[in-house]
Coordinates of all heavy atoms in Angstrom, one line a residue:
A43 N 94.7 124.3 69.9 CA 94.9 122.9 69.4 C 95.3 123.0 68.0 O 96.3 122.3 67.6 CB 93.6 122.1 69.6
H44 N 94.7 123.9 67.2 CA 95.0 124.0 65.8 C 96.5 124.5 65.7 O 97.2 124.0 64.9 CB 94.0 125.0 65.2 CG 94.3 125.4 63.8 ND1 93.9 124.7 62.8 CD2 95.1 126.4 63.3 CE1 94.3 125.2 61.7 NE2 95.0 126.3 62.0
T45 N 96.8 125.6 66.4 CA 98.1 126.1 66.3 C 99.2 125.1 66.7 O 100.2 125.1 66.0 CB 98.3 127.4 67.2 OG1 97.1 128.1 67.2 CG2 99.5 128.2 66.9
S46 N 98.9 124.3 67.6 CA 100.0 123.4 68.0 C 100.2 122.3 67.0 O 101.4 122.0 66.8 CB 99.8 122.9 69.4 OG 98.7 122.0 69.5
G47 N 99.2 121.9 66.3 CA 99.5 120.9 65.2 C 100.3 121.6 64.1 O 101.2 121.0 63.6
E48 N 99.9 122.8 63.8 CA 100.7 123.5 62.8 C 102.1 123.8 63.3 O 103.0 123.6 62.5 CB 99.9 124.9 62.6 CG 100.6 125.7 61.5 CD 99.8 127.0 61.2 OE1 98.8 127.2 61.8 OE2 100.4 127.8 60.4
A49 N 102.2 124.2 64.5 CA 103.6 124.5 65.0 C 104.4 123.3 65.0 O 105.6 123.3 64.7 CB 103.5 125.1 66.4
L50 N 103.8 122.1 65.4 CA 104.6 120.9 65.4 C 105.0 120.5 64.0 O 106.1 120.0 63.8 CB 103.7 119.8 66.1 CG 103.5 119.9 67.6 CD1 102.4 118.9 68.0 CD2 104.8 119.5 68.3
F51 N 104.1 120.6 63.1 CA 104.4 120.3 61.7 C 105.6 121.1 61.2 O 106.6 120.6 60.6 CB 103.3 120.4 60.7 CG 103.6 119.9 59.4 CD1 103.4 118.5 59.0 CD2 104.2 120.7 58.4 CE1 103.7 118.0 57.8 CE2 104.5 120.2 57.1 CZ 104.3 118.9 56.8
K52 N 105.5 122.4 61.5 CA 106.6 123.4 61.1 C 107.9 123.0 61.7 O 108.9 123.0 61.1 CB 106.2 124.8 61.5 CG 105.2 125.4 60.5 CD 105.0 126.9 60.7 CE 104.0 127.4 59.7 NZ 103.2 128.5 60.2
A53 N 107.8 122.6 63.0 CA 109.1 122.3 63.7 C 109.7 121.0 63.3 O 110.9 120.8 63.3 CB 108.8 122.3 65.2
M61 N 106.0 123.9 52.8 CA 104.6 124.3 52.9 C 104.2 125.4 51.9 O 103.1 126.0 52.0 CB 104.3 124.8 54.3 CG 104.6 123.7 55.3 SD 104.4 124.2 57.0 CE 102.6 124.1 57.2
K135 N 98.2 115.3 66.8 CA 97.9 116.7 66.5 C 98.3 117.1 65.1 O 97.6 117.8 64.3 CB 98.6 117.6 67.4 CG 98.0 117.6 68.8 CD 98.6 118.6 69.7 CE 98.1 118.5 71.1 NZ 99.0 119.2 72.1
I136 N 99.5 116.6 64.6 CA 99.9 116.9 63.3 C 99.0 116.3 62.3 O 98.6 117.0 61.3 CB 101.4 116.3 63.1 CG1 102.4 117.1 64.0 CG2 101.8 116.4 61.6 CD1 103.8 116.5 64.0
Y139 N 95.8 118.3 62.0 CA 96.1 119.6 61.3 C 96.2 119.4 59.8 O 95.6 120.1 59.1 CB 97.4 120.2 61.9 CG 98.0 121.2 61.0 CD1 97.4 122.5 60.9 CD2 99.2 121.0 60.3 CE1 98.0 123.5 60.1 CE2 99.7 122.0 59.5 CZ 99.1 123.2 59.4 OH 99.7 124.2 58.6

Side-chain angles (χ1 to χ4, degrees):
H44 174 87
T45 317
S46 66
E48 181 177 357
L50 286 165
F51 187 89
K52 283 191 176 145
M61 301 176 79
K135 286 187 187 162
I136 291 173
Y139 163 71

